[in-house]
Amino acid sequence: MGVRRHSPIAPWLFGAPALIGLMLFLVLPFVMAVILTFTDQRLVSPRPGAFVGLRNYQRLLSVGALVQTPERSAAGAPVYARVRSITRGNRAYAGYRPLTAFRLGNRRVTVLATDPAFLQALGNTMLFAVLVVPLQCAMALGLALLVNAGLRGQTLFRAIFFSPVVMSMVIVSVVWAFLFNKDLGLFNQALGWISLGAVRPVDWLGNPATAMPAIVIMSAWQGAGFQMLILLAGLQGISQELYDAARLDGASAWQRFVHITLPGLRQTVLFVAVVTTIAALGLFTQVDVMTGGGPRGTTATVMFEAVRHGVREENIAYGATISVVYFALITLVIVVQQAIRRRRGGGVA
Amino acid sequence: MTPAQRRSIPLRLALHALMVVLAAVFLFPFLFMLASSLKTNDAIFADLESGRALLPVGDLTGANYVGAFARGHIGHYLANSVLITVVTVALGLVVNSLAAFALARLEWRGKQAVITLLVILLVVPFEAISVPLMLLVAKLPGIAFGADGVVLTGSWLDTIYVQIIPFVANTFSIFLFYQVFRDIPKDFDEAAYVDGATPWQVYRHIIVPSSGPVFATVTILQALAMWNQYLWPLITVPGEAARPLMVGMEQFFSARKTAWGEVMAYAALITVPVLIAFVFFQRWFVRSVVGSGVKG
Amino acid sequence: MPSLVPQPIRIDCVRRAVVLFGLLLGSCGPPPPRGDRIDLVLWKNQVGLDEAAITNVLIDRFNAGQHRWRVIAQSLPQGGYDQSIVAASLAGRMPCIVAVDSPMVARYAWAGHLRPLDGQVSAALLRRVSPAAVGRYGGHAYAVGQFDAALALYTRASILRRMHTRVPTLDRPWTGAEFQTLLERLKAEGAYRYPLDLATRDDKVSWWTYAFSPMLQSFGGDLIDRRTMTSAEGVLNGAPAQAFGAWFQALFAKGLVARAEPDENAFVKARAAIAYSGDWWEPDFRKAWGSDLLVLPPPDFGHGVVIGGGSWQWAISRTCPHPDGAGAFITFMLQDKQIAAMSDASGNVPVTEHAAALSRDFGPHGQSRVFFELMRRFARQRPATPAFPTIANAFTFAMRDVMDGKDVQDSLDDATDDIDRALADTVGVDDRGRARGAR
């Protein structure tokens, strides 16, 4: 770098308004949230929160295991005592609930956790991100290619594909909930019609196996227009001469796509993927409006759990603990990812 | 010659057909909203099980729109929302681009730490800090113009500025500006500094003019976010004076039976202007992102 | 369109924004005092058109009827109502009079946001009001409602005739077994895919608690043990509660109730034969079925018919500088004439015998009399404890899990543990129900 040509305080002057704003309205509340995690503060309470040490973290993160041998066998299948009865009756297991169970020989091992709903929500959120990010980016890319093909009316079509982004999520959710309805919804009617009645109606939002995929489809549909726009910009940034040259060399459309379009879009796609991932990890509204976290917790996300405990049950200390732990996990992932990328060279930030 | 003109006619027809089918897939809630906004509550539900739901058919009425204006105070809330969006975006463009300039173009100790901090702050979801932030602004001293002139108040609650000031500085915007500013060749400002220019002059006369498009990008992104703000004003703005559009819609859901016709009319009045603005600005937006660092 | 690209921001643009900003603040100050009257700010939740209109009429009547006080009403969005009160309380900007949802009264009283009505609203007056409409905590009345709501079963006379089923009465409601038999016969008949609509489409915690915890009580269980108010153990997860859970689960497993109806009109559109819903749906149902409509008490599952009692109620904030004015307003609103006016205009159930008699619709021969009777005979309040938000959430999540096939006992144990922890966290074991807020 060259010699410094400005006074040492200049950068601080330029940065001050934004940094003060971020410190006051982002960092400070976050620090407050961290402090809250060590208290038992509630939103409505006659007393200020008292210091409770790591209790919230213990309640959120403790895991254990329970190994059982069969009590007896019925019709060849081993029968075990009810886990809940054991955990609720034994002080050593106070506060623990079953998360999942597996068999080891004739023993049954039950993984216990003090807040299995949080761990389930963590898994659900990861699943959502893993499903929605590729789907939404692929959809967006397809749309971008389509509205960039120079067809008539493409401005109108861009607006149409973009329209779900600006629509009220509540209304979008109402319409989709109807589409997904088991008995009258369009989805099942279409499936039944296409399969000539072979496919039985699916209760999309009511079945633990299909609820999350349904949310994924709806979310990808809702957000793809936004990514389409950014990708469209990337497409237009690729030099037309490259395509012309390739065409002269006799490259097929597919070859042009693979060898020119995709490499040219690499940075844009990366950016879009990062933005989509951040949004996916914060999934809340769709779940809150469409499934309320159900059925049986299969669509509850981390933010849903944080709002449920922190806002609706008014246990703001516990809600803050969920947010802080989640934030720490994501930060860890970013730091690791950045480190790997730095070793490879390049990166978004 | 554009690529499309080289394509065979059957291919173009096929692509067109595909686009129309996809358009239907993307448009149906919008059509549903528009059609329903012209129907009575009964008619909306009666039509729900057929394609009629998407069409303006049957006994149509403008009463929902009248209701949205009369009952929804939509004019007043619209003014609030426009003001909040415009002021936040305008202040945000200045504040965030200045910070990005300091990060991308100036040399100082601690810069790398600030950049890392920004990347990390990028993932803090608003839901995570909304309650502490609410506790904070409830006790921040504010000012009000009352009958006695300017008075100090003990709180930011129930004001327009509580919806603006916390959102001016924005990590995502700084990040976007930073990426663009970083890629502008350094030769220009080096030369300017040699000629005795101040950093302010470099920012004002070199950096800003050569990165106009990213200002457009940030404008759209922040404007959309501000326009759709819901959770925050819901908890900090109890009164009607400073209430924005999105919260205004809540009153149609508050009754035990939702007045769906009015909800749809209200939603249409929120959405359609944004879409029109989009059609109008989309070429500009597309170009702007091309110019910004996003494309790499 | 290069002209549309925002040019580099000029400072005068910012200056303009700052000026604009300053102008705006002008509209946010408190309104100037007028005349010699003392202003009392009132907060209420946003409600349906009719109820909002009649409330405003009554407030105008109060303001016109005396010269000391002027009530200024503000409607708040329901979604953020609680947080608004908390924020206002922190900022020392609580209004004088607040509308509070009945199950939340205990919590606000406990937290010290409210002042007891003692001395402001006469005890004799409160005694005339239906017990479920008075919000009590720690031995004091903190809030009182001008109206209540009532849940009922709706069906059509023609359906019962066809099924050869007797029409239940307030004195002799259906038993759980009779109700179950009817549902299964309706299902077997084949005309209804799902004979009963429980409005489970609405996944709001407020509905689930309001609608289904009375059924739990009718089975002999409860949300928490009301004698100690410190635990749900044995009550929410005891044998009666498990029987209730098993019955509830079977409704969905047998296809007697849809997990989520596609819209709220299953009964109006004749997709369902019976609907379980509040009095506020009666006008729509009446419009659809006219004289064929029957409004019936919910079934007695063994421990009597139970419906939820307690709607939105008026309370006085602790920081209100003029509690006597607030008391005067609440006393005014509790006049039989005003209660009757509210009920006739909004369809809400009146809370005094005299008001009901005065009312057009709820009088002895009024078309809505049945709702008054339901409320008078069967309404029971939700437990008055500061832990209510957790109780409502835990119960709702458990029942939704039960609906979706999760083990009944596990689900109820989960809810019990959540509730007991919240009770221990909030009230504390040795702090049962004694009003901390009553200082």
Side-chain angles (χ1 to χ4, degrees):
Chain A
M1 281 297 136
V3 189
R4 185 187 284 157
R5 317 243 181 214
H6 50 81
S7 93
I9 58 157
W12 295 102
L13 286 178
F14 281 85
L19 288 181
I20 291 172
L22 291 178
M23 284 296 150
L24 198 54
F25 301 113
L26 189 57
V27 176
L28 183 58
F30 189 73
V31 171
M32 286 168 73
V34 173
I35 294 171
L36 278 177
T37 64
F38 300 107
T39 71
D40 64 353
Q41 179 77 55
R42 301 185 72 86
L43 191 64
V44 175
S45 175
R47 46 185 175 234
F51 181 76
V52 295
L54 292 172
R55 192 181 78 180
N56 288 315
Y57 291 93
Q58 278 167 357
R59 285 182 177 183
L60 184 66
L61 296 171
S62 298
V63 285
L66 177 71
V67 183
Q68 291 171 283
T69 46
E71 292 188 320
R72 60 192 162 84
S73 290
V79 175
Y80 302 93
R82 181 172 171 258
V83 172
R84 235 34 201 101
S85 303
I86 297 172
T87 58
R88 297 185 92 242
N90 186 337
R91 262 186 128 26
Y93 292 111
Y96 280 94
R97 295 173 192 186
L99 174 68
T100 177
F102 56 90
R103 293 272 286 280
L104 211 65
N106 73 337
R107 292 189 181 147
R108 184 172 72 175
V109 181
T110 306
V111 180
L112 302 171
T114 40
D115 192 348
F118 169 71
L119 298 176
Q120 190 188 8
L122 200 59
N124 292 341
T125 314
M126 298 304 146
L127 175 69
F128 175 78
V130 166
L131 291 176
V132 84
V133 172
L135 178 66
Q136 192 167 338
C137 292
M139 267 173 73
L141 182 59
L143 291 176
L145 290 171
L146 200 57
V147 296
N148 197 42
L151 298 170
R152 190 179 288 253
Q154 59 183 10
T155 306
L156 179 69
F157 284 104
R158 284 175 193 170
I160 288 171
F161 297 147
F162 190 71
S163 67
V165 178
V166 297
M167 274 199 63
S168 152
M169 195 44 131
V170 176
I171 288 169
V172 168
S173 300
V174 167
V175 179
W176 275 80
F178 197 85
L179 281 180
F180 281 133
N181 185 268
K182 181 173 170 227
D183 304 303
L184 301 169
L186 203 61
F187 262 48
N188 282 338
Q189 287 182 23
L191 275 180
W193 185 71
I194 292 169
S195 69
L196 301 171
V199 177
R200 304 266 320 231
V202 179
D203 190 356
W204 291 93
L205 295 172
N207 183 329
T210 54
M212 186 54 101
I215 300 261
V216 167
I217 292 171
M218 187 269 198
S219 301
W221 168 91
Q222 197 266 339
F226 190 77
Q227 280 84 350
M228 170 196 81
L229 219 55
I230 298 176
L231 288 167
L232 192 53
L235 280 176
Q236 298 192 336
I238 301 172
S239 164
Q240 197 56 51
E241 285 148 24
L242 287 176
Y243 288 107
D244 293 340
R247 218 173 263 113
L248 282 179
D249 292 344
S252 68
W254 175 250
Q255 285 171 323
R256 292 197 300 271
F257 175 72
V258 171
H259 296 292
I260 301 174
T261 311
L262 281 185
L265 278 180
R266 204 183 136 258
Q267 283 292 95
T268 317
V269 168
L270 199 62
F271 174 79
V272 164
V274 168
V275 173
T276 316
T277 308
I278 290 176
L281 293 177
L283 174 70
F284 171 73
T285 312
Q286 293 94 308
V287 165
D288 192 45
V289 183
M290 290 179 74
T291 63
R296 294 164 72 176
T298 47
T299 59
T301 61
V302 176
M303 282 334 290
F304 180 82
E305 285 291 306
V307 170
R308 170 184 156 192
H309 290 287
V311 179
R312 297 187 178 151
E313 294 182 4
E314 308 192 332
N315 192 344
I316 55 179
Y318 197 71
T321 311
I322 293 178
S323 300
V324 167
V325 166
Y326 190 46
F327 172 79
L329 282 176
I330 297 177
T331 307
L332 193 71
V333 172
I334 291 180
V335 168
V336 170
Q337 194 192 17
Q338 291 264 320
I340 293 170
R341 196 172 287 156
R342 210 167 290 137
R343 268 178 42 196
R344 285 207 208 130
V348 214
Chain B
M1 272 216 308
T2 68
Q5 283 156 326
R6 292 197 203 94
R7 293 209 169 94
S8 63
I9 290 175
L11 181 64
R12 289 176 62 186
L13 280 178
L15 285 176
H16 244 289
L18 179 63
M19 209 149 74
V20 170
V21 169
L22 283 174
V25 171
F26 276 81
L27 208 53
F28 69 91
F30 191 75
L31 293 178
F32 173 75
M33 176 182 73
L34 286 184
S36 303
S37 72
L38 296 167
K39 298 175 186 174
T40 62
N41 231 18
D42 293 346
I44 293 172
F45 286 113
D47 289 352
L48 207 48
E49 284 151 47
S50 68
R52 289 168 63 90
L54 303 180
L55 301 170
V57 290
D59 278 343
L60 299 183
T61 164
N64 294 325
Y65 285 90
V66 175
F69 273 97
R71 204 145 77 78
H73 307 292
I74 201 166
H76 178 74
Y77 301 156
L78 182 73
N80 284 342
S81 276
V82 167
L83 191 97
I84 290 162
T85 305
V86 168
V87 174
T88 314
V89 170
L91 290 177
L93 287 175
V94 179
V95 163
N96 296 318
S97 67
L98 280 174
F101 174 73
L103 290 170
R105 311 296 291 192
L106 303 179
E107 293 307 319
W108 44 290
R109 281 162 63 93
K111 185 167 99 166
Q112 208 50 48
V114 172
I115 292 173
T116 308
L117 179 72
L118 283 180
V119 173
I120 289 171
L121 288 179
L122 212 51
V123 297
V124 179
F126 183 69
E127 285 90 348
I129 59 155
S130 62
V131 171
L133 187 58
M134 187 261 287
L135 302 178
L136 185 73
V137 297
K139 291 194 164 171
L140 277 179
I143 43 171
F145 293 80
D148 321 324
V150 182
V151 288
L152 272 175
T153 63
S155 171
W156 282 22
L157 294 182
D158 217 7
T159 59
I160 292 278
Y161 57 85
V162 77
Q163 302 171 69
I164 295 177
I165 296 173
F167 304 98
V168 170
N170 179 297
T171 41
F172 198 70
S173 302
I174 296 176
F175 190 62
L176 280 173
F177 280 124
Y178 170 78
Q179 286 209 310
V180 178
F181 292 174
R182 195 187 48 182
D183 292 346
I184 297 173
K186 292 253 168 162
D187 320 357
F188 299 130
D189 30 340
E190 291 295 327
Y193 285 129
V194 169
D195 290 346
T198 61
W200 167 254
Q201 286 166 324
V202 172
Y203 166 79
R204 175 74 182 74
H205 296 294
I206 295 173
I207 300 299
V208 174
S210 51
S211 52
V214 71
F215 282 85
T217 313
V218 171
T219 301
I220 302 247
L221 293 179
Q222 219 171 355
L224 256 181
M226 293 308 293
W227 187 260
N228 291 325
Q229 220 180 18
Y230 176 73
L231 180 70
W232 180 247
L234 189 67
I235 61 181
T236 56
V237 183
E240 286 169 17
R243 188 176 294 170
L245 267 183
M246 283 294 166
V247 178
M249 190 158 84
E250 162 98 354
Q251 79 186 74
F252 295 105
F253 288 105
S254 289
R256 281 164 175 151
K257 279 174 290 182
T258 303
W260 284 109
E262 288 183 354
V263 167
M264 296 298 166
Y266 198 103
L269 289 169
I270 298 178
T271 313
V272 171
V274 181
L275 265 193
I276 292 174
F278 173 81
V279 172
F280 200 66
F281 286 122
Q282 62 92 21
R283 286 173 58 85
W284 163 55
F285 176 70
V286 168
R287 282 193 193 162
S288 79
V289 195
V290 174
S292 73
V294 166
K295 78 158 205 294
Chain C
M1 285 182 280
S3 64
L4 292 175
V5 176
Q7 293 307 301
I9 301 294
R10 292 190 187 85
I11 274 302
D12 59 347
C13 201
V14 178
R15 206 176 294 142
R16 236 178 279 148
V18 170
V19 172
L20 191 63
F21 198 64
L23 284 176
L24 248 151
L25 302 174
S27 64
C28 307
R34 264 177 243 146
D36 301 330
R37 287 169 173 244
I38 296 169
D39 286 341
L40 305 170
V41 176
L42 171 150
W43 276 9
K44 60 191 174 78
N45 59 317
Q46 278 172 347
V47 288
L49 254 191
D50 300 335
E51 192 178 314
I54 182 67
T55 305
N56 289 335
V57 167
L58 297 184
I59 289 171
D60 289 346
R61 266 191 215 169
F62 173 74
N63 287 341
Q66 42 74 46
H67 301 287
R68 278 192 71 191
W69 315 107
R70 189 169 56 130
V71 170
I72 300 167
Q74 257 189 6
S75 294
L76 276 66
Q78 203 143 305
Y81 197 79
D82 275 342
Q83 284 91 336
S84 293
I85 287 188
V86 172
S89 161
L90 276 173
R93 288 164 58 122
M94 274 285 269
C96 219
I97 307 163
V98 272
V100 183
D101 194 11
S102 148
M104 302 298 170
V105 170
R107 193 172 43 119
Y108 287 132
W110 171 70
H113 293 332
L114 305 180
R115 139 201 300 278
L117 297 177
D118 308 347
Q120 311 302 342
V121 179
S122 85
L125 185 54
L126 291 179
R127 270 196 301 277
R128 295 180 56 223
V129 173
S130 130
V134 182
R136 293 181 192 275
Y137 185 69
H140 296 275
Y142 280 91
V144 57
Q146 197 187 10
F147 54 80
D148 207 336
L151 281 168
L153 278 185
Y154 298 88
T155 186
R156 284 146 56 195
S158 54
I159 294 175
L160 296 191
R161 271 198 303 278
R162 197 173 72 224
M163 305 310 294
H164 304 291
T165 302
R166 75 178 177 94
V167 176
T169 62
L170 291 167
D171 294 316
R172 229 187 114 218
W174 277 328
T175 63
E178 275 181 290
F179 185 51
Q180 187 69 20
T181 308
L182 173 63
L183 291 179
E184 292 186 6
R185 284 177 53 211
L186 282 164
K187 175 82 181 180
E189 186 203 33
Y192 301 97
R193 194 174 344 225
Y194 306 105
L196 175 64
D197 179 14
L198 291 176
T200 42
R201 177 181 179 278
D202 182 349
D203 61 8
K204 278 198 290 295
V205 168
S206 52
W207 168 249
W208 280 65
T209 317
Y210 179 70
F212 304 126
S213 70
M215 288 185 175
L216 166 67
Q217 287 175 283
S218 185
F219 266 88
D222 205 339
L223 291 171
I224 62 171
D225 186 338
R226 303 224 188 189
R227 287 165 308 172
T228 63
M229 299 295 278
T230 54
S231 174
E233 186 67 45
V235 178
L236 180 55
N237 58 353
Q242 287 182 31
F244 163 67
W247 170 77
F248 193 75
Q249 191 163 57
L251 288 179
F252 298 92
K254 291 178 180 170
L256 302 175
V257 179
R259 186 183 181 279
E261 287 284 348
D263 62 38
E264 43 200 15
N265 290 353
F267 183 64
V268 167
K269 289 187 182 173
R271 287 199 312 261
I274 307 175
Y276 176 61
S277 191
D279 59 276
W280 54 91
W281 272 102
E282 196 255 3
D284 299 70
F285 293 166
R286 182 74 62 192
K287 199 167 98 192
W289 302 116
S291 58
D292 198 18
L293 180 74
L294 291 176
V295 183
L296 309 173
D300 174 356
F301 292 102
H303 288 73
V305 176
V306 183
I307 64 170
S311 185
W312 286 77
Q313 304 175 344
W314 299 112
I316 307 174
S317 75
R318 193 165 58 90
T319 51
C320 174
H322 307 287
D324 46 339
F329 173 73
I330 295 174
T331 303
F332 170 84
M333 293 297 261
L334 288 180
Q335 289 173 5
D336 291 326
K337 190 181 152 206
Q338 320 306 340
I339 294 176
M342 163 59 80
S343 293
D344 282 343
S346 67
N348 288 311
V349 182
V351 291
T352 69
E353 200 80 49
H354 280 99
L358 273 181
S359 138
R360 178 190 68 227
D361 296 340
F362 294 89
H365 307 291
Q367 57 171 10
S368 304
R369 178 70 185 184
V370 59
F371 293 111
F372 179 74
E373 294 294 337
L374 283 166
M375 182 209 72
R376 200 172 55 110
R377 294 177 186 220
F378 306 127
R380 261 191 256 171
Q381 268 181 339
R382 283 149 281 180
T385 160
F388 187 77
T390 306
I391 293 176
N393 256 294
F395 174 72
T396 302
F397 277 93
M399 290 320 293
R400 291 188 65 82
D401 282 348
V402 165
M403 168 176 82
D404 289 326
K406 186 172 163 179
D407 182 81
V408 172
Q409 202 182 343
D410 280 358
S411 306
L412 294 173
D413 279 347
D414 282 352
T416 304
D417 288 349
D418 283 346
I419 290 170
D420 280 8
R421 174 177 282 174
L423 283 166
D425 283 354
T426 50
V427 191
V429 185
D430 353 294
D431 193 21
R432 55 186 77 160
R434 232 171 290 129
R436 282 171 165 270
R439 289 161 295 193

